[in-house]
Protein backbone atom coordinates (compact mmCIF):
# COMPACT_ATOMS: atom_id res chain seq x y z
CA UNK A 1 0.00 0.00 0.00
CA UNK A 2 1.23 3.48 -0.85
CA UNK A 3 1.52 6.04 1.91
CA UNK A 4 1.30 9.33 -0.03
CA UNK A 5 -1.91 9.93 -1.96
CA UNK A 6 -1.15 9.97 -5.71
CA UNK A 7 -2.59 12.70 -7.95
CA UNK A 8 -3.33 12.97 -11.65
CA UNK A 9 -0.38 15.39 -12.12
CA UNK A 10 1.66 13.03 -14.33
CA UNK A 11 -1.21 12.90 -16.87
CA UNK A 12 -2.39 16.52 -16.76
CA UNK A 13 -0.87 17.37 -20.15
CA UNK A 14 -1.39 13.89 -21.59
CA UNK A 15 -4.02 12.71 -24.03
CA UNK A 16 -5.84 9.60 -22.89
CA UNK A 17 -7.65 7.21 -25.24
CA UNK A 18 -10.14 4.78 -23.71
CA UNK A 19 -10.86 1.89 -26.09
CA UNK A 20 -14.22 0.26 -25.34
CA UNK A 21 -17.24 1.84 -23.71
CA UNK A 22 -18.75 -0.96 -21.64
CA UNK A 23 -18.80 -1.53 -17.89
CA UNK A 24 -15.25 -0.33 -17.16
CA UNK A 25 -14.72 1.87 -20.24
CA UNK A 26 -17.61 4.22 -19.53
CA UNK A 27 -16.73 4.59 -15.85
CA UNK A 28 -13.03 5.21 -16.51
CA UNK A 29 -13.64 7.69 -19.35
CA UNK A 30 -16.16 9.77 -17.38
CA UNK A 31 -14.12 9.75 -14.16
CA UNK A 32 -10.89 10.71 -15.96
CA UNK A 33 -12.68 13.55 -17.76
CA UNK A 34 -14.19 14.81 -14.51
CA UNK A 35 -10.67 14.64 -13.00
CA UNK A 36 -9.61 17.19 -15.63
CA UNK A 37 -7.85 14.87 -18.09
CA UNK A 38 -8.10 15.04 -21.89
CA UNK A 39 -10.08 11.91 -22.81
CA UNK A 40 -11.14 10.47 -26.16
CA UNK A 41 -13.21 7.31 -26.36
CA UNK A 42 -12.13 4.95 -29.17
CA UNK A 43 -15.03 2.90 -30.48
CA UNK A 44 -16.34 1.75 -33.84
CA UNK A 45 -18.22 4.41 -35.78
CA UNK A 46 -21.86 3.43 -36.13
CA UNK A 47 -21.75 1.04 -33.16
CA UNK A 48 -24.02 1.60 -30.15
CA UNK A 49 -21.16 2.84 -27.94
CA UNK A 50 -20.35 5.68 -30.36
CA UNK A 51 -23.62 7.51 -29.76
CA UNK A 52 -23.66 6.66 -26.07
CA UNK A 53 -20.21 8.13 -25.42
CA UNK A 54 -21.10 11.29 -27.37
CA UNK A 55 -24.35 11.65 -25.49
CA UNK A 56 -22.32 11.42 -22.27
CA UNK A 57 -20.33 14.46 -23.42
CA UNK A 58 -17.12 12.68 -24.42
CA UNK A 59 -14.92 13.08 -27.49
CA UNK A 60 -15.23 10.03 -29.74
CA UNK A 61 -12.99 8.63 -32.52
CA UNK A 62 -12.33 5.37 -34.33
CA UNK A 63 -9.91 3.25 -32.24
CA UNK A 64 -6.94 3.75 -34.60
CA UNK A 65 -7.47 7.54 -34.67
CA UNK A 66 -7.81 7.75 -30.90
CA UNK A 67 -4.57 5.76 -30.48
CA UNK A 68 -2.56 7.96 -32.89
CA UNK A 69 -2.98 11.04 -30.72
CA UNK A 70 -2.73 9.36 -27.34
CA UNK A 71 -0.04 9.36 -24.67
CA UNK A 72 -1.93 6.68 -22.75
CA UNK A 73 -4.27 4.07 -24.22
CA UNK A 74 -6.59 2.17 -21.88
CA UNK A 75 -7.68 -1.15 -23.42
CA UNK A 76 -11.16 -1.76 -22.00
CA UNK A 77 -12.77 -4.01 -24.61
CA UNK A 78 -13.62 -7.65 -23.80
CA UNK A 79 -10.43 -9.64 -23.20
CA UNK A 80 -10.90 -11.92 -26.20
CA UNK A 81 -11.11 -9.05 -28.72
CA UNK A 82 -7.98 -7.31 -27.39
CA UNK A 83 -5.31 -9.25 -29.35
CA UNK A 84 -6.82 -8.33 -32.74
CA UNK A 85 -7.42 -4.76 -31.56
CA UNK A 86 -3.77 -4.54 -30.52
CA UNK A 87 -2.54 -5.81 -33.91
CA UNK A 88 -4.91 -3.72 -36.03
CA UNK A 89 -5.38 -0.43 -34.20
CA UNK A 90 -2.82 -0.11 -31.41
CA UNK A 91 0.59 -1.51 -32.45
CA UNK A 92 0.78 0.39 -35.78
CA UNK A 93 -0.32 3.71 -34.27
CA UNK A 94 0.91 4.04 -30.71
CA UNK A 95 3.61 6.69 -30.13
CA UNK A 96 6.97 5.60 -28.65
CA UNK A 97 7.05 6.02 -24.86
CA UNK A 98 3.25 6.08 -24.71
CA UNK A 99 1.56 3.87 -22.12
CA UNK A 100 -0.71 0.91 -22.76
CA UNK A 101 -3.03 0.25 -19.83
CA UNK A 102 -5.14 -2.82 -19.06
CA UNK A 103 -7.78 -3.53 -16.41
CA UNK A 104 -7.02 -7.27 -16.48
CA UNK A 105 -3.64 -8.84 -17.24
CA UNK A 106 -4.86 -11.90 -19.16
CA UNK A 107 -3.55 -11.12 -22.65
CA UNK A 108 -0.17 -9.76 -21.63
CA UNK A 109 0.45 -12.40 -18.98
CA UNK A 110 -0.47 -15.30 -21.24
CA UNK A 111 1.37 -13.90 -24.28
CA UNK A 112 -1.72 -13.22 -26.41
CA UNK A 113 -0.48 -9.64 -26.71
CA UNK A 114 3.28 -9.07 -26.94
CA UNK A 115 3.61 -5.31 -26.49
CA UNK A 116 6.22 -3.32 -28.39
CA UNK A 117 9.41 -2.78 -26.37
CA UNK A 118 9.26 1.02 -26.65
CA UNK A 119 6.00 1.50 -24.71
CA UNK A 120 5.00 1.37 -21.06
CA UNK A 121 2.65 -1.48 -20.13
CA UNK A 122 0.64 -0.94 -16.97
CA UNK A 123 -2.50 -2.17 -15.25
CA UNK A 124 -5.19 -0.64 -13.06
CA UNK A 125 -7.99 -2.98 -11.96
CA UNK A 126 -10.75 -1.52 -9.80
CA UNK A 127 -12.10 -3.98 -7.25
CA UNK A 128 -15.67 -3.46 -8.38
CA UNK A 129 -17.88 -3.25 -11.47
CA UNK A 130 -17.87 -0.13 -13.64
CA UNK A 131 -21.19 1.18 -12.36
CA UNK A 132 -19.79 1.25 -8.81
CA UNK A 133 -16.55 2.89 -9.99
CA UNK A 134 -18.63 5.70 -11.50
CA UNK A 135 -21.16 5.99 -8.68
CA UNK A 136 -18.57 6.19 -5.90
CA UNK A 137 -16.56 8.77 -7.87
CA UNK A 138 -19.64 10.95 -8.30
CA UNK A 139 -20.18 10.79 -4.54
CA UNK A 140 -16.61 12.00 -3.97
CA UNK A 141 -15.31 8.57 -3.00
CA UNK A 142 -13.51 5.87 -4.96
CA UNK A 143 -13.29 2.11 -5.39
CA UNK A 144 -9.99 0.50 -4.28
CA UNK A 145 -7.75 -0.44 -7.19
CA UNK A 146 -4.84 -2.77 -7.69
CA UNK A 147 -2.11 -1.66 -10.09
CA UNK A 148 0.93 -3.16 -11.79
CA UNK A 149 3.81 -2.28 -14.07
CA UNK A 150 4.81 -4.86 -16.67
CA UNK A 151 7.15 -2.72 -18.78
CA UNK A 152 8.66 0.70 -18.09
CA UNK A 153 10.08 2.07 -21.36
CA UNK A 154 9.67 5.76 -20.53
CA UNK A 155 10.97 5.60 -16.99
CA UNK A 156 7.66 7.17 -15.94
CA UNK A 157 5.41 4.12 -15.88
CA UNK A 158 4.91 4.32 -12.12
CA UNK A 159 3.90 7.99 -12.22
CA UNK A 160 1.48 7.27 -15.06
CA UNK A 161 -0.17 4.24 -13.49
CA UNK A 162 -0.66 6.03 -10.17
CA UNK A 163 -2.03 9.12 -11.94
CA UNK A 164 -4.52 6.99 -13.86
CA UNK A 165 -5.62 5.23 -10.66
CA UNK A 166 -6.06 8.66 -9.07
CA UNK A 167 -8.02 9.88 -12.09
CA UNK A 168 -10.62 7.14 -11.85
CA UNK A 169 -10.97 7.75 -8.11
CA UNK A 170 -9.09 4.72 -6.79
CA UNK A 171 -6.53 6.76 -4.87
CA UNK A 172 -9.36 8.22 -2.76
CA UNK A 173 -9.90 4.71 -1.41
CA UNK A 174 -6.83 2.47 -1.57
CA UNK A 175 -4.20 1.36 -4.09
CA UNK A 176 -2.37 -1.93 -3.78
CA UNK A 177 0.58 -2.80 -6.00
CA UNK A 178 0.51 -6.20 -7.69
CA UNK A 179 2.01 -7.84 -10.77
CA UNK A 180 0.32 -8.85 -14.04
CA UNK A 181 0.84 -12.49 -13.01
CA UNK A 182 -0.72 -12.09 -9.57
CA UNK A 183 -3.69 -10.04 -10.81
CA UNK A 184 -4.43 -12.42 -13.68
CA UNK A 185 -4.03 -15.70 -11.79
CA UNK A 186 -5.92 -14.66 -8.66
CA UNK A 187 -8.72 -13.02 -10.67
CA UNK A 188 -9.25 -16.18 -12.74
CA UNK A 189 -9.04 -18.41 -9.67
CA UNK A 190 -11.54 -16.33 -7.72
CA UNK A 191 -14.15 -16.37 -10.45
CA UNK A 192 -13.67 -20.05 -11.29
CA UNK A 193 -13.35 -21.67 -7.87
CA UNK A 194 -15.33 -19.41 -5.55
CA UNK A 195 -17.30 -16.46 -6.93
CA UNK A 196 -18.93 -17.72 -10.12
CA UNK A 197 -18.12 -21.41 -10.58
CA UNK A 198 -17.98 -22.47 -6.95
CA UNK A 199 -20.93 -20.45 -5.70
CA UNK A 200 -23.34 -21.41 -8.51
CA UNK A 201 -22.52 -25.12 -8.28
CA UNK A 202 -23.03 -24.99 -4.50
CA UNK A 203 -26.44 -23.37 -5.02
CA UNK A 204 -27.48 -25.85 -7.72
CA UNK A 205 -26.37 -28.88 -5.70
CA UNK A 206 -28.33 -27.58 -2.71
CA UNK A 207 -31.43 -26.93 -4.84
CA UNK A 208 -31.26 -30.40 -6.39
CA UNK A 209 -30.76 -32.07 -3.01
CA UNK A 210 -33.89 -30.43 -1.59
CA UNK A 211 -36.15 -30.85 -4.63
CA UNK A 212 -35.08 -34.48 -5.21
CA UNK A 213 -36.02 -35.12 -1.57
CA UNK A 214 -39.53 -33.86 -2.40
CA UNK A 215 -39.47 -30.31 -1.03
CA UNK A 216 -41.20 -27.55 -3.00
CA UNK A 217 -38.88 -25.87 -5.52
CA UNK A 218 -40.06 -22.41 -4.41
CA UNK A 219 -39.04 -23.12 -0.82
CA UNK A 220 -35.74 -24.59 -2.00
CA UNK A 221 -35.08 -21.50 -4.12
CA UNK A 222 -35.49 -19.19 -1.14
CA UNK A 223 -33.30 -21.34 1.10
CA UNK A 224 -30.33 -21.91 -1.20
CA UNK A 225 -30.31 -18.97 -3.64
CA UNK A 226 -32.35 -15.96 -2.52
CA UNK A 227 -31.02 -15.90 1.03
CA UNK A 228 -27.43 -16.32 -0.08
CA UNK A 229 -27.34 -12.54 -0.50
CA UNK A 230 -28.07 -11.94 3.18
CA UNK A 231 -25.07 -14.04 4.16
CA UNK A 232 -22.78 -12.61 1.49
CA UNK A 233 -23.71 -9.07 2.54
CA UNK A 234 -22.77 -9.85 6.15
CA UNK A 235 -19.44 -11.37 5.04
CA UNK A 236 -18.81 -8.41 2.73
CA UNK A 237 -19.53 -5.85 5.44
CA UNK A 238 -17.88 -7.49 8.41
CA UNK A 239 -16.30 -10.85 7.64
CA UNK A 240 -16.98 -14.06 9.52
CA UNK A 241 -17.44 -12.13 12.78
CA UNK A 242 -20.39 -10.09 11.49
CA UNK A 243 -22.02 -13.14 9.97
CA UNK A 244 -21.79 -15.03 13.25
CA UNK A 245 -23.18 -12.01 15.06
CA UNK A 246 -26.32 -11.93 12.93
CA UNK A 247 -27.18 -15.60 12.42
CA UNK A 248 -28.78 -17.80 15.07
CA UNK A 249 -26.83 -20.08 17.37
CA UNK A 250 -28.40 -23.04 15.61
CA UNK A 251 -27.19 -21.74 12.25
CA UNK A 252 -23.73 -21.17 13.69
CA UNK A 253 -23.48 -24.67 15.14
CA UNK A 254 -24.70 -26.17 11.84
CA UNK A 255 -22.24 -24.05 9.88
CA UNK A 256 -19.26 -24.98 12.05
CA UNK A 257 -19.98 -28.71 12.13
CA UNK A 258 -21.49 -29.32 8.63
CA UNK A 259 -19.78 -26.73 6.44
CA UNK A 260 -16.41 -28.52 6.51
CA UNK A 261 -18.17 -31.69 5.32
CA UNK A 262 -19.50 -29.91 2.21
CA UNK A 263 -16.26 -28.15 1.35
CA UNK A 264 -13.59 -30.60 2.45
CA UNK A 265 -9.97 -31.50 1.72
CA UNK A 266 -11.08 -33.00 -1.62
CA UNK A 267 -12.63 -29.66 -2.64
CA UNK A 268 -9.43 -27.87 -1.72
CA UNK A 269 -7.32 -30.37 -3.67
CA UNK A 270 -9.50 -29.72 -6.75
CA UNK A 271 -9.14 -25.97 -6.18
CA UNK A 272 -5.37 -26.45 -6.18
CA UNK A 273 -5.65 -28.35 -9.47
CA UNK A 274 -7.72 -25.52 -10.97
CA UNK A 275 -5.06 -23.04 -9.82
CA UNK A 276 -2.35 -25.19 -11.42
CA UNK A 277 -4.24 -25.15 -14.74
CA UNK A 278 -4.51 -21.36 -14.54
CA UNK A 279 -0.81 -20.91 -13.75
CA UNK A 280 0.54 -23.31 -16.36
CA UNK A 281 -1.60 -21.72 -19.09
CA UNK A 282 -3.92 -24.70 -19.63
CA UNK A 283 -7.05 -22.63 -18.97
CA UNK A 284 -5.88 -19.70 -21.13
CA UNK A 285 -5.08 -22.02 -24.06
CA UNK A 286 -8.43 -23.82 -23.72
CA UNK A 287 -10.49 -20.61 -23.55
CA UNK A 288 -8.58 -18.92 -26.37
CA UNK A 289 -9.02 -22.00 -28.60
CA UNK A 290 -12.73 -22.17 -27.71
CA UNK A 291 -13.19 -18.48 -28.62
CA UNK A 292 -11.33 -18.93 -31.92
CA UNK A 293 -13.40 -22.03 -32.76
CA UNK A 294 -16.62 -20.00 -32.48
CA UNK A 295 -17.63 -20.65 -28.84
CA UNK A 296 -19.79 -23.71 -29.62
CA UNK A 297 -18.95 -25.51 -26.40
CA UNK A 298 -19.21 -22.31 -24.33
CA UNK A 299 -22.68 -21.61 -25.73
CA UNK A 300 -23.86 -25.19 -25.14
CA UNK A 301 -22.68 -25.15 -21.51
CA UNK A 302 -24.33 -21.78 -20.91
CA UNK A 303 -27.57 -23.01 -22.44
CA UNK A 304 -27.49 -26.02 -20.13
CA UNK A 305 -26.96 -23.76 -17.11
CA UNK A 306 -29.86 -21.51 -18.13
CA UNK A 307 -32.15 -24.52 -18.70
CA UNK A 308 -31.79 -25.67 -15.07
CA UNK A 309 -35.18 -25.85 -13.28
CA UNK A 310 -33.99 -23.30 -10.71
CA UNK A 311 -34.13 -20.67 -13.46
CA UNK A 312 -37.84 -21.16 -14.13
CA UNK A 313 -38.70 -21.20 -10.46
CA UNK A 314 -36.52 -18.15 -9.85
CA UNK A 315 -38.07 -16.11 -12.68
CA UNK A 316 -41.53 -16.70 -11.26
CA UNK A 317 -40.55 -15.76 -7.74
CA UNK A 318 -38.48 -12.72 -8.69
CA UNK A 319 -41.39 -11.36 -10.71
CA UNK A 320 -43.23 -11.06 -7.38
CA UNK A 321 -40.36 -9.19 -5.73
CA UNK A 322 -40.20 -5.98 -7.79
CA UNK A 323 -37.68 -4.39 -5.43
CA UNK A 324 -35.04 -6.78 -6.82
CA UNK A 325 -35.13 -5.16 -10.27
CA UNK A 326 -36.66 -1.69 -9.86
CA UNK A 327 -36.11 -0.82 -13.54
CA UNK A 328 -38.48 -3.58 -14.65
CA UNK A 329 -42.23 -3.30 -14.16
CA UNK A 330 -43.69 -5.64 -11.57
CA UNK A 331 -45.30 -8.77 -13.03
CA UNK A 332 -48.57 -9.79 -11.47
CA UNK A 333 -49.15 -13.11 -13.21
CA UNK A 334 -46.68 -15.94 -12.90
CA UNK A 335 -45.59 -17.86 -15.96
CA UNK A 336 -43.84 -20.70 -14.18
CA UNK A 337 -46.30 -23.59 -13.67
CA UNK A 338 -44.50 -24.75 -10.54
CA UNK A 339 -44.61 -21.30 -8.99
CA UNK A 340 -48.20 -20.70 -9.98
CA UNK A 341 -50.23 -22.58 -7.39
CA UNK A 342 -48.72 -21.35 -4.12
CA UNK A 343 -48.40 -17.77 -5.34
CA UNK A 344 -51.92 -17.34 -6.65
CA UNK A 345 -53.27 -18.03 -3.23
CA UNK A 346 -51.38 -15.17 -1.68
CA UNK A 347 -52.11 -12.75 -4.54
P1 LIG B 1 -17.75 -4.90 -21.52
O1 LIG B 1 -18.09 -6.17 -22.20
O2 LIG B 1 -18.68 -4.32 -20.53
O3 LIG B 1 -17.53 -3.74 -22.61
C1 LIG B 1 -16.68 -3.87 -23.68
C2 LIG B 1 -16.86 -2.73 -24.66
O4 LIG B 1 -15.87 -2.91 -25.67
C3 LIG B 1 -18.19 -2.70 -25.41
O5 LIG B 1 -19.15 -1.96 -24.76
C4 LIG B 1 -17.77 -2.02 -26.70
O6 LIG B 1 -17.76 -0.61 -26.52
C5 LIG B 1 -16.35 -2.45 -26.91
N1 LIG B 1 -16.14 -3.54 -27.88
C6 LIG B 1 -16.73 -4.77 -27.89
N2 LIG B 1 -16.29 -5.49 -28.92
C7 LIG B 1 -15.41 -4.72 -29.57
C8 LIG B 1 -14.61 -4.91 -30.73
N3 LIG B 1 -14.65 -6.08 -31.41
N4 LIG B 1 -13.79 -3.90 -31.10
C9 LIG B 1 -13.77 -2.72 -30.43
N5 LIG B 1 -14.50 -2.49 -29.33
C10 LIG B 1 -15.30 -3.46 -28.92
O7 LIG B 1 -16.28 -5.09 -20.91
P2 LIG B 1 -15.80 -4.84 -19.39
O8 LIG B 1 -16.49 -5.81 -18.49
O9 LIG B 1 -15.84 -3.39 -19.11
O10 LIG B 1 -14.28 -5.33 -19.49
C11 LIG B 1 -13.26 -4.51 -20.04
C12 LIG B 1 -11.95 -4.90 -19.38
O11 LIG B 1 -12.03 -4.63 -17.99
C13 LIG B 1 -11.63 -6.38 -19.50
O12 LIG B 1 -10.22 -6.50 -19.64
C14 LIG B 1 -12.07 -6.95 -18.16
O13 LIG B 1 -11.40 -8.13 -17.80
C15 LIG B 1 -11.69 -5.79 -17.25
N6 LIG B 1 -12.39 -5.72 -15.95
C16 LIG B 1 -13.75 -5.78 -15.89
C17 LIG B 1 -14.40 -5.65 -14.67
C18 LIG B 1 -15.91 -5.65 -14.59
O14 LIG B 1 -16.42 -5.51 -13.48
N7 LIG B 1 -16.68 -5.77 -15.66
C19 LIG B 1 -13.65 -5.48 -13.50
C20 LIG B 1 -12.26 -5.39 -13.59
C21 LIG B 1 -11.64 -5.52 -14.83
MG1 LIG C 1 -21.82 -22.98 -13.19
Amino acid sequence: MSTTVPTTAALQSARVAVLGYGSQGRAHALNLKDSGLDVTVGVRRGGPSWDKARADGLKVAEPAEAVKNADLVAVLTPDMVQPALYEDAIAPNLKPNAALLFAHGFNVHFGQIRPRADIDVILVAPKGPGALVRREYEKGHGVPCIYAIHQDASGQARDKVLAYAAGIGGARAMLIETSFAEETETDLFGEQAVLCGGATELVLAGFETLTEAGYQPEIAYYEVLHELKLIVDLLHEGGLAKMHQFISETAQYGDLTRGPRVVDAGTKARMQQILTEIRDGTFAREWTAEYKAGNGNYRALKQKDLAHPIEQVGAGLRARMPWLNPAQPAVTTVASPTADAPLKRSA
Side-chain angles (χ1 to χ4, degrees):
M1 268 173 60
S2 52
T3 45
T4 53
V5 178
T7 70
T8 56
L11 291 176
Q12 275 308 333
S13 57
R15 291 185 184 176
V16 177
V18 173
L19 306 186
Y21 203 65
S23 171
Q24 292 293 329
R26 180 171 188 271
H28 291 213
L30 290 172
N31 290 5
L32 293 169
K33 176 171 171 275
D34 290 349
S35 291
L37 303 189
D38 180 342
V39 179
T40 300
V41 175
V43 282
R44 292 160 295 180
R45 187 184 292 274
S49 299
W50 181 280
D51 291 334
K52 189 155 190 252
R54 278 185 42 158
D56 285 339
L58 289 155
K59 288 190 281 187
V60 181
E62 291 275 0
E65 284 309 307
V67 170
K68 266 179 203 156
N69 296 315
D71 302 293
L72 185 150
V73 173
V75 189
L76 301 176
T77 64
D79 295 306
M80 287 298 121
V81 312
Q82 291 177 9
L85 188 68
Y86 179 77
E87 291 304 323
D88 299 342
I90 300 172
N93 296 310
L94 191 58
K95 293 192 279 198
N97 283 332
L100 190 60
L101 179 140
F102 295 87
H104 180 35
F106 188 96
N107 286 303
V108 170
H109 179 58
F110 290 118
Q112 306 297 313
I113 291 176
R114 299 185 188 278
R116 276 170 28 198
D118 61 331
I119 56 173
D120 299 336
V121 181
I122 54 183
L123 175 145
V124 173
K127 293 288 94 187
L132 187 71
V133 172
R134 179 60 182 157
R135 195 161 69 238
E136 286 303 301
Y137 182 94
E138 286 182 301
K139 286 197 266 180
H141 309 303
V143 170
C145 292
I146 63 177
Y147 70 95
I149 299 160
H150 173 76
Q151 189 167 288
D152 184 4
S154 72
Q156 287 151 16
R158 177 169 301 275
D159 293 340
K160 294 178 191 175
V161 76
L162 291 172
Y164 187 96
I168 64 170
R172 294 168 174 174
M174 177 174 58
L175 304 180
I176 303 174
E177 184 161 7
T178 183
S179 62
F180 273 59
E182 183 177 61
E183 185 279 331
T184 304
E185 292 166 2
T186 58
D187 189 75
L188 292 172
F189 177 79
E191 66 200 18
Q192 291 176 18
V194 180
L195 307 176
C196 310
T200 56
E201 292 307 321
L202 194 64
V203 164
L204 294 182
F207 181 83
E208 289 169 7
T209 302
L210 286 176
T211 53
E212 285 164 15
Y215 297 102
Q216 296 181 72
E218 294 78 15
I219 306 289
Y221 178 88
Y222 276 112
E223 293 305 329
V224 305
L225 191 152
H226 183 80
E227 291 185 19
L228 185 60
K229 179 174 176 1
L230 309 177
I231 300 306
V232 171
D233 282 351
L234 292 170
L235 288 170
H236 188 76
E237 289 159 16
L240 297 176
K242 185 162 183 183
M243 188 199 74
H244 281 295
Q245 199 186 328
F246 282 86
I247 65 175
S248 70
E249 280 182 340
T250 306
Q252 289 182 61
Y253 184 74
D255 156 4
L256 297 168
T257 58
R258 268 56 180 175
R261 287 168 56 189
V262 175
V263 178
D264 61 9
T267 314
K268 192 167 160 190
R270 290 188 295 278
M271 284 187 173
Q272 285 162 338
Q273 181 57 33
I274 285 167
L275 181 59
T276 299
E277 290 169 19
I278 290 168
R279 296 174 67 155
D280 69 14
T282 302
F283 174 78
R285 279 191 298 278
E286 180 185 319
W287 171 216
T288 306
E290 172 66 22
Y291 183 83
K292 284 185 179 153
N295 281 334
N297 188 41
Y298 164 43
R299 270 200 299 271
L301 288 169
K302 190 157 150 180
Q303 195 46 48
K304 186 163 164 271
D305 225 28
L306 298 179
H308 193 281
I310 200 171
E311 281 295 279
Q312 234 204 340
V313 176
L317 295 176
R318 289 191 298 270
R320 308 303 292 261
M321 298 184 280
W323 64 88
L324 296 178
N325 295 294
Q328 287 163 17
V331 177
T332 48
T333 53
V334 176
S336 160
T338 52
D340 213 21
L343 282 170
K344 261 191 180 149
R345 254 177 277 130
S346 62

